[in-house]
Amino acid sequence: METASLSEIKKELKVLSPQQLQEILLRLAKYKKENKELLSYLLFEAFNQQAYIENVKGEIDEQFKNLNQSSFYLAKKTLRKVLRTTKKYIRFSGSKEVEIELLIYFCLKIRKSGLRINSSRVVMNMYINQVKRIRKVLSMLHEDIRLDYEEALNRL
């Protein structure tokens, strides 16, 4: 079975009735947890970005509480999981500001975690790559907004 292109899907969705659209969305949400999470974001949280950011930061905090500092291997696995979750929430929002805020928060949490990031090449590279990503996204923003975030970035 060949998958239709996005433009073909868009054309077909314009033809459908609201009832048919609702059925398709519910069916789509039923099969994958990430689809359901995205749909929940779009319906309930997209209108208030700041509250969304605070919710995600709370979830990052919860995941950092489970950080095992006795073993770098386990700490590294936990950090990868937290980063994967953070990136998922960034994809949901599609906003550069949300991406910068969450990545800065993630990097700050790594710094405050008590891990010696210089001891592990993998953790250090993870940290450096996120700082690079923040700089790249920051360069795409308007100058006024950029100045606000550059202070936080300099603290990293």
Side-chain angles (χ1 to χ4, degrees), residues 62-79:
E62 286 297 316
Q63 290 182 342
F64 264 93
K65 285 179 184 176
N66 298 330
L67 187 66
N68 186 341
Q69 296 186 4
S70 62
S71 166
F72 251 97
Y73 173 75
L74 296 174
K76 176 182 64 175
K77 286 182 68 97
T78 304
L79 287 175

Side-chain angles (χ1 to χ4, degrees), residues 4 23 47-48 56 61 67 78 81 86 122 129 133:
E23 290 172 8
F47 61 90
N48 190 352
V56 174
D61 288 339
L67 187 66
T78 304
K81 182 179 179 184
T86 304
V122 175
N129 286 337
R133 184 170 172 175

Side-chain angles (χ1 to χ4, degrees), residues 127-144:
Y127 179 82
I128 289 171
N129 286 337
Q130 297 319 305
V131 172
K132 285 180 186 177
R133 184 170 172 175
I134 293 168
R135 288 187 199 283
K136 181 180 176 186
V137 174
L138 202 56
S139 69
M140 297 179 206
L141 291 178
H142 191 268
E143 288 180 31
D144 295 336

Side-chain angles (χ1 to χ4, degrees), residues 58-121:
E59 190 166 327
I60 291 171
D61 288 339
E62 286 297 316
Q63 290 182 342
F64 264 93
K65 285 179 184 176
N66 298 330
L67 187 66
N68 186 341
Q69 296 186 4
S70 62
S71 166
F72 251 97
Y73 173 75
L74 296 174
K76 176 182 64 175
K77 286 182 68 97
T78 304
L79 287 175
R80 283 186 178 147
K81 182 179 179 184
V82 173
L83 184 59
R84 199 170 40 249
T85 304
T86 304
K87 286 182 177 181
K88 175 178 71 173
Y89 289 126
I90 289 169
R91 268 195 329 271
F92 287 173
S93 75
S95 166
K96 300 295 181 195
E97 290 88 358
V98 171
E99 181 173 4
I100 290 172
E101 280 201 43
L102 292 179
L103 288 178
I104 287 174
Y105 189 74
F106 174 76
C107 290
L108 285 174
K109 290 299 284 185
I110 289 177
R111 297 289 295 237
K112 292 179 181 178
S113 69
L115 284 175
R116 292 172 294 161
I117 57 176
N118 295 336
S119 301
S120 171
R121 183 183 215 174

